Amino acid sequence: KEKIMITVGRLGTHQKNTELLLDVLSKVDLQDWRFYCIGPIEESFKENIEQFYAEHPEKRDSVIFTGMISQKEKFEYYDKARVFVLTSRHEGFAFALVEAAYMKNYIVSTDVGGAEDVLDYTGGVLVSGNDDFFGVLSSIIHQDKNSLNQIVLDDDRNSMSWESLLSINGGISKII
């Protein structure tokens, strides 16, 4: 795992609260970390990104917007990342949390649908607001190498497979 944090979603939508993320990233000293914002970017939000870079030109190489990428590329980012960040205002169930957990990312998330459930089985923390996000991300960045190695999840990925989930309590026939 590398010193990479990611977020995945429809960037710039009201639901995803990407403006909170940019505000926090404007204040956090990323040092030698990189933050990748992965997913399609709302046309109306592109101006916010340009303003962010204009105000923080030193972050152009450390805060990267990929735009829409393939599933394969997305999972390559998950695989390299140590930390997954979700700033959503609301979610029915954030599937990206499950993807991040499966790829052994430490999760920093708002308390949206499914977040607490996913964190029950993985590593991570629920946060709210700019100050919480700033504090948690700063703490992660400033950890020593041994501590960083501990935030990579050691959970068994197989326990998150469909086969495993469906075998719990007798499988699909018990669910139906």
Side-chain angles (χ1 to χ4, degrees):
K1 295 284 190 177
E2 300 173 29
K3 290 184 175 183
I4 293 175
M5 296 183 195
I6 63 171
T7 192
V8 175
R10 296 174 327 280
L11 305 169
T13 63
H14 178 76
Q15 174 188 1
K16 296 299 181 182
N17 202 8
T18 315
E19 59 275 8
L20 167 65
L21 180 61
L22 284 185
D23 184 52
V24 171
L25 290 175
S26 73
K27 297 171 185 163
V28 170
D29 178 6
L30 289 169
Q31 296 183 8
D32 56 347
W33 284 74
R34 287 169 295 171
F35 197 108
Y36 289 92
C37 301
I38 301 167
I41 302 167
E42 291 289 307
E43 195 62 40
S44 61
F45 194 73
K46 291 180 180 178
E47 187 175 308
N48 297 54
I49 297 169
E50 287 310 313
Q51 181 178 350
F52 172 82
Y53 287 139
E55 294 174 6
H56 308 283
E58 74 283 2
K59 304 238 179 194
R60 195 169 282 279
D61 293 331
S62 57
V63 177
I64 299 123
F65 285 81
T66 66
M68 185 67 148
I69 59 174
S70 71
Q71 282 285 90
K72 181 180 184 286
E73 290 171 303
K74 178 176 73 167
F75 278 98
E76 288 170 357
Y77 279 104
Y78 275 122
D79 196 37
K80 289 190 264 184
R82 284 183 190 272
V83 179
F84 175 82
V85 177
L86 185 72
T87 56
S88 294
R89 288 181 169 95
H90 56 86
E91 295 273 351
F93 183 87
F95 194 69
L97 290 172
V98 176
E99 293 174 338
Y102 182 78
M103 297 304 290
K104 300 183 178 186
N105 296 154
Y106 184 80
I107 297 171
V108 179
S109 177
T110 52
D111 189 8
V112 295
E116 191 172 348
D117 295 326
V118 171
L119 292 181
D120 281 347
Y121 295 97
T122 65
V125 61
L126 294 178
V127 295
S128 63
N130 298 34
D131 292 340
D132 279 356
F133 271 104
F134 175 81
V136 170
L137 296 185
S138 292
S139 175
I140 290 168
I141 290 165
H142 291 93
Q143 289 185 30
D144 63 35
K145 185 174 179 166
N146 291 333
S147 297
L148 282 176
N149 289 337
Q150 293 175 4
I151 70 167
V152 175
L153 305 178
D154 290 327
D155 294 9
D156 179 15
R157 289 183 190 191
N158 292 329
S159 67
M160 299 182 101
S161 70
W162 278 113
E163 293 82 8
S164 174
L165 293 172
L166 292 175
S167 69
I168 295 172
N169 296 325
I172 190 77
S173 62
K174 295 279 184 177
I175 296 170
I176 299 177

